[in-house]
Amino acid sequence: MITREDDLKELATSLSAAIVKARQLNLPTSAYILSMALVEVSQALKGAVPDRDEGSAVR
């Protein structure tokens, strides 16, 4: 079963790839906005508690 932590890690990976592409395309504002989203996801990931009790998992 996929956990919230797994979803956040996948999102972080996707955002990182999008940042690289935005920089390649010389889109600094897009890269900045994506970077801020990555910071938010990283903070959520740090605060993520592994899903041990599926009944209490927030999705």
Side-chain angles (χ1 to χ4, degrees):
M1 177 174 237
I2 295 177
T3 65
R4 183 171 193 266
E5 185 177 4
D6 292 334
D7 285 340
L8 289 170
K9 286 179 181 178
E10 181 181 349
L11 181 55
T13 300
S14 297
L15 285 168
S16 294
I19 291 166
V20 169
K21 182 54 78 175
R23 287 180 179 151
Q24 289 172 350
L25 294 172
N26 196 27
L27 299 171
T29 302
S30 295
Y32 174 78
I33 292 168
L34 289 163
S35 295
M36 292 300 97
L38 182 56
V39 167
E40 184 175 349
V41 170
S42 296
Q43 289 174 347
L45 190 53
K46 285 180 186 176
V49 176
D51 291 339
R52 294 177 197 250
D53 179 11
E54 294 299 324
S56 66
V58 176
R59 292 252 172 185

